[in-house]
Amino acid sequence: MKVRYSYLPQQFAEIDDLLAEIKRFVATGDFTLGEPLIRFESRFAELIGSRHAIGVGSGTDAIKLPLKAVGVGHGDEVITTANTFIATVGAINEIGARPVFVDCDDTFCMNVDQLEAAITPRTKAIVPVHFTGYMTDMTKLMPIAERHGLPVVEDACQGILANIGGRNSGTWGNAGAFSLHPLKNLNVWGDAGVVVTDDDDMARKLRLLRNHGMRSRDEIEVLGYNSRLDSLQAVVGNWLIGEAKSISERRIANAEYYDAQLSTIPQIRIPPRVAGMRLVYHLYIVFAEDRDGLLRYLIDRGVEAKIHYPIPLYLQDGLKFLGYKPGDFPVTDRHTGTIITFPTDQHITREEQDYVIDAVRSYYAGR
């Protein structure tokens, strides 16, 4: 590919210092809930602006464990957005609860104006998703949740360091869930996640739940899970976390460059850029006429564009049991036919971006 999607070979091209740190770590034998994890959790909490950060096995578990901690269980309903990655729904389903969808708006996040209509007596929590690096409108959502006495677990897996009015994603609700998957803005070398919270009791429950419910080696307080962030991955996390802010800044700058250039192409529509909201562009997505034709054209010319996602989640075969039918979420439906994702990571060059832009312009000029 002339313009690749995965930047990992570039990010980890020079890792002699990291490998030396890993070698020192291996000699300690401190592999489970070790000192590197304790240090990473402290640094992550400081980065986000929360009292506690609890490392867990994946971003999915970072959603699941706080839902379990607030008492969500079998037969309960949890409201989330119709436009998200399957992990959000998988986390809800794993604890026996039923996901209830609300349509999105053109920020790709939940349309909070439709939230209250989805609340029933069975609703036990809300999981807003800060999708693509946008944020759900938490200034509207939190008063609704408080009025109905519903806990909020933010799925911020794609939204690290996004904020509204300077308040970071993950710090609005009872807890915030982050993913450290290799392609996230802050990443490690495998699956890993972090939960943040300001609630001391919630933090205590989460530390129990991630480690089999063990109060000590010999005492089981609750039935929990095996979901610890590996200390080895924490070594990688500590190596990268100091770059988290600059990574976001470079992605934002790249997105702004795309916006300025692509907005001159009539067949491309830029999503709304919300005043007072800091977008961090885990994904750079625009709306495109004849999207499928454009995608094929770009791939043929070596641009590794993507679609996030081509099939609405609520219409996937694995979710038929929820009983939704085509047309239930019209904005999500419209998005699946018109969105396209361009590489915008911190390692992409201006020359590569110009190649993408010129290819898009060339496609529409030739139609």
Side-chain angles (χ1 to χ4, degrees):
M1 285 291 177
K2 293 181 182 295
V3 185
R4 81 291 172 276
Y5 188 80
S6 173
Y7 52 89
L8 294 177
Q10 291 162 284
Q11 185 175 36
F12 295 110
E14 297 180 8
I15 57 171
D16 288 347
D17 290 345
L18 175 56
L19 293 177
E21 182 63 28
I22 289 173
K23 185 176 181 179
R24 287 190 291 271
F25 162 72
V26 169
T28 71
D30 193 17
F31 297 147
T32 305
L33 299 178
E35 187 277 334
L37 176 58
I38 294 169
R39 185 157 56 94
F40 179 73
E41 290 175 332
S42 176
R43 295 178 71 187
F44 195 93
E46 181 179 3
L47 177 71
I48 300 301
S50 60
R51 284 175 50 81
H52 304 280
I54 299 92
V56 297
S58 67
T60 308
D61 284 355
I63 304 166
K64 176 178 73 177
L65 267 61
L67 286 174
K68 186 75 172 179
V70 298
V72 176
H74 185 76
D76 293 335
E77 292 180 352
V78 176
I79 297 174
T80 191
T81 178
N83 187 38
T84 184
F85 181 58
I86 184 59
T88 312
V89 173
I92 295 167
N93 183 72
E94 277 189 50
I95 56 175
R98 182 182 182 86
V100 173
F101 291 136
V102 171
D103 207 356
C104 61
D105 58 27
D106 278 353
T107 68
F108 313 112
C109 296
M110 180 189 294
N111 185 337
V112 180
D113 291 337
Q114 299 179 18
L115 170 60
E116 205 149 18
I119 296 173
T120 76
R122 294 181 296 278
T123 305
K124 292 298 184 291
I126 303 169
V127 179
V129 182
H130 305 317
F131 195 52
T132 80
Y134 273 91
M135 280 187 65
T136 303
D137 189 343
M138 301 303 289
T139 62
K140 285 185 178 179
L141 186 147
M142 289 307 300
I144 295 171
E146 290 163 6
R147 186 161 61 248
H148 290 271
L150 294 171
V152 173
V153 175
E154 298 172 64
D155 178 348
C157 289
Q158 296 188 5
I160 188 170
L161 295 179
N163 70 56
I164 297 174
R167 184 173 177 181
N168 280 335
S169 65
T171 66
W172 293 74
N174 299 70
F178 294 89
S179 170
L180 305 178
H181 180 276
L183 287 179
K184 291 299 192 292
N185 292 21
L186 175 61
N187 55 336
V188 294
W189 286 357
D191 285 315
V194 184
V195 187
V196 300
T197 184
D198 286 337
D199 185 319
D200 294 347
D201 187 56
M202 166 74 83
R204 189 188 73 83
K205 289 178 180 177
L206 290 168
R207 291 190 174 99
L208 284 170
L209 288 170
R210 74 170 173 185
N211 191 32
H212 299 290
M214 297 172 66
R215 185 188 300 122
S216 68
R217 179 185 179 279
D218 301 315
E219 298 173 290
I220 310 301
E221 183 171 328
V222 296
L223 285 174
Y225 304 89
N226 182 357
S227 182
R228 300 177 293 259
L229 197 163
D230 288 342
S231 294
L232 176 59
Q233 298 293 359
V235 173
V236 180
N238 281 317
W239 190 70
L240 284 171
I241 195 169
E243 299 181 32
K245 290 182 180 179
S246 64
I247 287 171
S248 293
E249 289 165 1
R250 292 198 296 274
R251 284 175 173 262
I252 291 168
N254 291 340
E256 289 175 346
Y257 185 78
Y258 270 140
D259 279 1
Q261 303 302 314
L262 293 171
S263 62
T264 66
I265 302 173
Q267 296 87 352
I268 296 293
R269 181 166 68 87
I270 308 297
R273 304 310 188 199
V274 183
M277 182 185 296
R278 183 178 192 256
L279 284 63
V280 291
Y281 299 100
H282 170 64
L283 303 172
Y284 179 86
I285 296 179
V286 295
F287 302 104
E289 292 182 17
D290 188 21
R291 189 275 312 282
D292 291 343
L294 174 61
L295 178 65
R296 289 192 297 270
Y297 185 87
L298 293 174
I299 295 296
D300 287 346
R301 280 150 186 80
V303 176
E304 197 173 5
K306 304 277 188 181
I307 302 172
H308 294 85
Y309 298 98
I311 302 173
L313 185 60
Y314 76 96
L315 294 180
Q316 291 282 355
D317 286 346
L319 277 73
K320 284 182 177 179
F321 71 96
L322 295 176
Y324 291 114
K325 61 185 185 300
D328 281 347
F329 305 102
V331 176
T332 295
D333 291 343
R334 172 168 55 82
H335 287 181
T336 59
T338 59
I339 56 174
I340 188 166
T341 305
F342 300 142
T344 191
D345 59 83
Q346 63 272 22
H347 294 281
I348 196 169
T349 66
R350 280 287 182 268
E351 290 77 15
E352 289 172 323
Q353 286 191 277
D354 285 337
Y355 185 85
V356 174
I357 294 160
D358 289 344
V360 173
R361 187 174 283 116
S362 173
Y363 174 72
Y364 289 118
R367 287 204 308 165

